[in-house]
Amino acid sequence: MKNDRMKNQYRVNEQIHVREVRVVSEGGSEVMPTRKAMDMARQQGVDLVEISPNAQPPVCRLIDYSKFLYQQKKRQKEMKQKQVKVEVKEIRFGPQTDEHDYQFKLKHAQEFLLEGNKVRAYVFFRGRSILFKEQGEVLLLRFANDLEEYGKVESMPALEGKKMFLYLAPKKAGVAKKSQQKRDREAEEAKANEAVAAESAPTDGGLFGNAKNGAEALQKLKKD
C-alpha cells in the first residue's frame, strides 16, 4: 500500500497528457513536445517523470523510475531513523534548594538539552514560602545562565499559581516536520527550478552574558 502511494506521487510516461514539457538535466533544460520527450526516454532506456506538474509547462526529468523510487524509499527510511522525538522534561526546585541538589538537577538539564529535548524548570512555593518568590526567580535566572551553552530561554520566569516557570529550548534548532513525500517533491522541484533559472540567467553576471550569579542577573533586568 505504501509503495502504491509512492508510485502515484508522480506521473510517468503515458500518464503525462500535456502537449509539451520542459525536460531538465545537468546540462540545462529544453521545452519540447511530450511525445519527443517520451521518445528520448525510450532511446536512453529510462522514464519520463513529471517532477513539477504546476509549472508552465510542467517540468520533467529523464530517469530510471524504479531506481528513483528505491532511492526515495531509502532516503525516507534514513530520515525516519534520524528523527528525534522532542519532549518537555521537567526540573523541580524548592525556593531554598541547596547547592548539591541544584548541581544535580543542572546536570540532568544539560543532558536533556543535549538530547534535543526542551526543559521546563519551576520553583514550587508551598504555603508561606510564596514570600520567597524573588528568591525563586533568582534561582531560575541562575539556572538559565548556567545552561546558556546548552539552551536558549523561551520565556522568562513567570509565576503561575504556586509555581514559577522557566522554559528552555535546545540550542540546535529543530527541523520543521513535513511528510517525506513533500520533502522529496520539494527537493526535486528545487533542482528543476535551479536548472531553469541557470538557463535563463544573463551571462554577464548569553542571554545573561557572564553574570556571576542569578542575583546579579535579576538586578540587571530590574534596572532595564
Side-chain angles (χ1 to χ4, degrees):
M1 187 72 178
K2 187 175 181 180
N3 289 335
D4 291 339
R5 286 198 299 270
M6 290 186 67
K7 287 181 179 179
N8 294 330
Q9 184 179 356
Y10 302 97
R11 283 191 282 267
V12 184
N13 299 326
E14 285 75 14
Q15 296 175 354
I16 304 172
H17 301 302
V18 294
R19 182 175 298 178
E20 62 180 14
V21 295
R22 181 184 292 274
V23 177
V24 297
S25 63
E26 294 181 0
S29 69
E30 180 182 353
V31 176
M32 64 180 70
T34 304
R35 181 53 57 187
K36 179 181 177 182
M38 288 184 185
D39 291 339
M40 288 177 59
R42 277 193 288 270
Q43 291 171 9
Q44 297 179 26
V46 293
D47 302 290
L48 181 67
V49 182
E50 187 182 62
I51 301 301
S52 183
N54 296 324
Q56 295 296 329
V59 177
C60 297
R61 291 182 61 191
L62 302 179
I63 52 179
D64 184 329
Y65 193 50
S66 297
K67 184 177 180 180
F68 175 73
L69 287 179
Y70 171 76
Q71 291 173 339
Q72 298 284 76
K73 184 178 180 182
K74 183 179 179 182
R75 189 182 300 121
Q76 183 176 355
K77 184 177 180 180
E78 290 174 350
M79 289 295 294
K80 188 175 181 181
Q81 290 174 343
K82 292 179 181 179
Q83 284 180 349
V84 178
K85 184 179 179 181
V86 178
E87 298 180 3
V88 178
K89 302 290 188 176
E90 282 196 343
I91 300 289
R92 173 177 170 170
F93 293 104
Q96 296 178 322
T97 299
D98 62 44
E99 185 63 22
H100 180 269
D101 190 32
Y102 174 84
Q103 293 298 331
F104 178 77
K105 292 177 178 179
L106 180 67
K107 182 178 178 182
H108 276 290
Q110 291 173 352
E111 293 172 355
F112 293 149
L113 291 168
L114 286 172
E115 291 170 357
N117 297 306
K118 293 186 176 184
V119 170
R120 177 170 62 185
Y122 68 92
V123 179
F124 179 68
F125 300 98
R126 188 190 304 274
R128 293 179 61 83
S129 67
I130 192 68
L131 298 174
F132 301 99
K133 63 180 181 180
E134 185 171 294
Q135 189 171 335
E137 185 177 2
V138 169
L139 177 64
L140 291 176
L141 289 172
R142 177 191 174 190
F143 191 64
N145 188 58
D146 289 344
L147 291 170
E148 187 178 24
E149 181 182 347
Y150 305 92
K152 54 187 178 182
V153 175
E154 284 195 330
S155 66
M156 296 293 288
L159 189 64
E160 298 178 20
K162 294 183 178 181
K163 296 179 181 179
M164 181 175 287
F165 290 95
L166 170 76
Y167 292 86
L168 298 166
K171 275 282 178 84
K172 288 186 177 181
V175 179
K177 292 185 178 180
K178 296 181 182 178
S179 69
Q180 185 61 41
Q181 287 187 354
K182 185 174 182 180
R183 286 196 294 268
D184 292 338
R185 180 180 289 279
E186 288 178 352
E188 291 298 328
E189 289 185 356
K191 289 180 183 178
N193 291 334
E194 285 176 6
V196 174
E199 183 187 29
S200 59
T203 56
D204 59 345
L207 182 62
F208 302 108
N210 295 316
K212 294 181 179 179
N213 54 48
E216 292 183 4
L218 176 60
Q219 292 173 2
K220 184 178 178 181
L221 287 170
K222 286 185 174 180
K223 287 180 182 179
D224 295 340

